[in-house]
Amino acid sequence: MKLLPHFSSLVDTPDGGIQRLLARALEVERNPISEVLRGRVLGLVFLNPSLRTLSSFQAGMAQLGGSSFVLTPGQATWGWEIRDGAVMDGIAAEHVREAIPVLCQYADVLGVRAFAGGRSLEEDFAEPVLSAVRSHATKPILNLESAVDHPCQALADWKTLDDEQIPGKGGRFVLSWAYHPKPLPLAVAAAASTMAARRGMDLTVLRPEGYAFPPELAQRIRSEAKKSGGSYVETSDRRAAMDGAHVLYVKSWQSPAHYGDPTSEAALRAPLRDWCIDESWFRPARPTAIFMHCLPVRRNVKVRDEVLDGPRSRVIRQAGNRLHVQKAVLLETLGVR
Ligand code: CP
C-alpha cells in the first residue's frame, strides 16, 4: 500500500509517515543499490535552478534501477502558463492543463520546482503552481521546493538531526536570518522551522526587526509545536537566542512586512550586513552546537569560511541526506515495499 499520494509538505504527512520515510532512508543509506524501480520513470520539472535537488533525484532513481528525465520550461522546453482562462499571447506557449496530463503519461511520478512569485504573501501561501500541477496530475507529485515549502530539504534536515542524536523534546533549534544581497523566498526558512517544531524541539527564530514571520507561517509553526510538545518564539536578541542552542540553522528571507516591494525591502536590508555568521555567534551555545544550511550559500556574506570549513558545519551531510530521504519518498510514492 502506498503511504503518500503526493509529497507536498511535512505538514500533511502523518507522524507515522515521517517515521516510516526516515526508517526507509536509513535502509537505502545502508543498501544503496537495487533494481526495485526498474522500468519506472521519474519526470523532473524545474521552473527554477538547482544543483542538489536535480542531481540527487536523478542519482537516487538510477541507484534504484529506474530512470528520469528533466524539463526546464522556458529554457530548453516551452514556457508554462499556470493561470486558468489566460490569453496566451505572451512568452508562455504551453499550459499546465495540457503539460501535466501529457507528462503523466510518460512518467510514474513527477517532481516540480516552482519558487515563490514574491509579489504577494497571500498568493504565495496559496501555492499557485503546485496547486495547478496537482489539480491536473494523474500521477504522484513531489514538491521540489515551492513558494513556501521545501519538504525534501526538511526531511533531510530531520534525518541529519537524528544522525547527530540531537533530541526532539528538549532540543534547542535556532533558525537565524542572515544578510543576502537579494530578497529570498520564505520556503526553506518555513520548512526548517516547521520541521523543528514538528520534531518537538524548542524553536527560536532569530531575526532583525522587520523580518518577523508572517501570521500564516507563525500559525503553521505553532500548530506543529502544539501537536509535538515543542515550543516557538521569535527574537532579535542574538545572545538570548543562542543560549544553550544545539543547532544554528541559517537562512535569509525577504521581509514579510515589505513583501512585493523590493525597493523598501532593500532599504531595510542594506544596513544588516553584520548578520553574517562567524564563530563568535556560538559562544552562548552548547560547545557541541552544529551549523546547518541548505546550500547554496554565499561565503563571507551569509556565513564566514571559519564556520563553513570548521567542525560545526553539517552542510555536506545535509546535502548527502537529500539522496537517502528522496529515495525513501520515491519508494513510498510508487508503493514499493
Ligand atoms: N538545497 C537545495 O534545494 O539545493 P538546490 O537549490 O541546489 O537544489
Side-chain angles (χ1 to χ4, degrees):
M1 196 184 82
K2 281 202 281 188
L3 167 68
L4 304 167
H6 301 291
F7 186 60
S8 301
S9 173
L10 290 194
V11 173
D12 55 24
T13 307
D15 283 337
I18 293 175
Q19 290 309 324
R20 188 159 137 184
L21 286 167
L22 290 166
R24 288 206 90 164
L26 268 181
E27 278 171 30
V28 293
E29 185 178 11
R30 289 178 188 138
N31 300 295
I33 310 298
S34 74
E35 288 290 323
V36 290
L37 294 187
R38 190 181 178 84
R40 304 292 190 99
V41 177
L42 165 66
L44 293 164
V45 179
F46 282 89
L47 292 147
N48 309 99
S50 168
L51 183 149
R52 280 143 290 273
T53 308
L54 190 159
S55 47
S56 56
F57 263 110
Q58 288 206 287
M61 201 63 188
Q63 290 177 359
L64 295 170
S67 57
S68 54
F69 61 82
V70 179
L71 297 179
T72 52
Q75 296 173 48
T77 46
W78 307 114
W80 280 13
E81 176 58 65
I82 304 298
R83 297 165 300 162
D84 283 334
V87 177
M88 291 175 57
D89 56 0
I91 293 169
E94 181 95 48
H95 202 287
V96 287
R97 294 182 80 93
E98 288 82 46
I100 294 300
V102 166
L103 292 175
C104 286
Q105 296 178 98
Y106 308 150
D108 299 288
V109 53
L110 269 185
V112 177
R113 167 166 283 195
F115 289 174
R119 291 175 295 273
S120 138
L121 273 171
E122 189 182 2
E123 182 182 306
D124 285 338
F125 272 92
E127 296 282 13
V129 181
L130 194 64
S131 302
V133 166
R134 281 180 54 153
S135 70
H136 299 299
T138 55
K139 298 285 171 61
I141 298 297
L142 312 181
N143 179 353
L144 309 184
E145 186 175 340
S146 62
V148 287
D149 215 328
H150 196 350
C152 296
Q153 184 66 53
L155 193 60
D157 293 339
W158 188 315
K159 181 175 182 306
T160 306
L161 295 169
D162 287 355
D163 293 345
E164 293 291 325
Q165 299 183 320
I166 291 173
K169 191 95 191 120
R172 296 214 53 203
F173 187 99
V174 178
L175 174 83
S176 179
W177 186 89
Y179 177 81
H180 190 282
K182 292 195 297 186
L184 295 186
L186 274 162
V188 172
S193 48
T194 307
M195 176 277 297
R198 177 69 175 270
R199 201 168 171 269
M201 302 182 80
D202 294 321
L203 165 69
T204 301
V205 176
L206 171 62
R207 77 305 181 263
E209 295 304 329
Y211 286 84
F213 276 171
E216 299 91 328
L217 176 55
Q219 180 50 40
R220 182 196 296 181
I221 297 169
R222 264 195 292 276
S223 156
E224 295 300 301
K226 192 172 172 188
K227 276 190 261 174
S228 66
S231 66
Y232 160 49
V233 292
E234 295 200 15
T235 180
S236 21
D237 182 336
R238 185 185 304 173
R239 171 161 282 282
M242 288 298 292
D243 189 25
H246 289 86
V247 184
L248 174 60
Y249 194 113
V250 171
K251 191 70 188 79
S252 192
W253 60 90
Q254 67 175 293
S255 164
H258 296 256
Y259 210 84
D261 182 356
T263 306
S264 69
E265 207 279 344
L268 181 70
R269 192 160 23 87
L272 299 172
R273 279 182 170 270
D274 62 328
W275 283 70
C276 174
I277 284 73
D278 63 21
E279 184 58 30
S280 72
W281 283 53
F282 288 90
R283 272 187 210 130
R286 286 167 189 263
T288 54
I290 63 169
F291 171 82
M292 296 177 72
H293 190 286
C294 65
L295 301 180
V297 66
R298 289 181 184 243
R299 282 175 173 258
N300 303 306
V301 174
K302 280 169 94 176
V303 55
R304 299 269 172 219
D305 289 342
E306 66 188 24
V307 176
L308 273 172
D309 299 330
R312 299 186 187 282
S313 179
R314 296 295 183 275
V315 297
I316 304 300
R317 179 75 189 153
Q318 285 175 265
N321 274 330
R322 293 290 301 276
L323 177 66
H324 312 311
V325 301
Q326 289 163 192
K327 284 163 84 175
V329 168
L330 287 167
L331 293 169
E332 292 291 337
T333 48
L334 289 169
V336 175
R337 300 288 309 163

